[in-house]
Amino acid sequence: MQTYFFILAALLYLGCAFLPSERRLPISIGTVAGWLLHGGALMADMFAPEAVRVGFGVMLSATLWVSVAAYWLENRNFSLDSLRVLVLPVAAVAVILPSVFPGNMVALTGKSDWFLWHIAISILAYSTLTIAAFHAVLMVLQESRLHTRPGPAQSGWFSMALDRLPALLTMEKILFRLIAFGFILLTLTVLSGVVFSEQLFDKAFRWDHKTIFTLLSWGLFGLLLAGRKWQGWRGRTALSFTLTGFAVLLLAYVGSRFVLEVVLHRILV
């Protein structure tokens, strides 16, 4: 049953992604309907009595579920309609991943009470930094459009949506607000994973590719925030750090889990 809800949510996301900007009410209602279907099916698929499903498909789907909510809320406060053409198609793909790559169920018996909190915080961290990466892509497109004279082929609805974005300085403030919040959540994720590894995962902390990539991403975002505060970093420097940090973070969990689950057929927590 969840599979049908996942597919319906994906279709709603795709439909809303490519509606003209003027159809604000259908876009808003369709996005919320898709988000509710996505979330309900995801929760039913993830949780069972005394067990939780983990895997790169579930994690990516949950990350995009939160990212869609973040887009919808931000679009209430600022004119960020062009962000939906980036977020919703990716969410439409992510929403069906748990059906294709289900991962594995992990028994909660004997696990620390903080195990689910660790998963929830890590999903929120990845989601916040995912929407920050989408936001950075939007800023790259916005800056590029400012330096080129739009021709007839560049006057589509997406180009007009770019023209309605807030000023780059406002976009930059939103970006750093997202990065700062995501960095705090990522810090909590790292600390809980390092300090309470044995209680959370029933094994001592170890240096593996997942840990190294996560810490590298954490360092990149931390350096960006420090550079912003002490050196006034902005513009292309900020965008490059954001996209690089996100790419490394993506490799930390989603990339490594994909290799382990799909390529090597290994089941890990």
Side-chain angles (χ1 to χ4, degrees), residues 1-8 37 41 44-45 99:
M1 180 63 70
Q2 288 97 318
T3 300
Y4 295 110
F5 287 137
F6 283 143
I7 293 173
L8 183 55
L37 283 171
D45 188 64
S99 298

Side-chain angles (χ1 to χ4, degrees), residues 192-225:
S192 62
V194 170
V195 177
F196 303 109
S197 180
E198 196 160 352
Q199 294 93 320
L200 288 171
F201 308 114
D202 297 326
K203 58 186 178 183
F205 171 75
R206 62 184 181 185
W207 290 95
D208 54 16
H209 48 277
K210 175 184 169 183
T211 303
I212 292 170
F213 278 129
T214 300
L215 289 175
L216 181 57
S217 176
W218 177 83
L220 286 169
F221 283 116
L223 182 59
L224 172 58
L225 291 173

Side-chain angles (χ1 to χ4, degrees), residues 17 19-22 24 27 71 75 78-86 138 141-142 145 154-167 171:
L19 279 174
S21 302
E22 294 74 20
R24 290 182 62 86
I27 289 170
Y71 144 72
N75 197 43
F78 301 94
S79 180
L80 299 175
D81 185 67
S82 50
L83 189 60
R84 69 185 163 91
V85 80
L86 300 178
L138 206 58
L141 295 173
Q142 183 184 20
R145 185 166 174 79
Q154 298 175 293
S155 56
W157 67 265
F158 182 65
S159 296
M160 290 187 288
L162 284 176
D163 291 336
R164 288 195 292 268
L165 285 173
M171 293 286 286

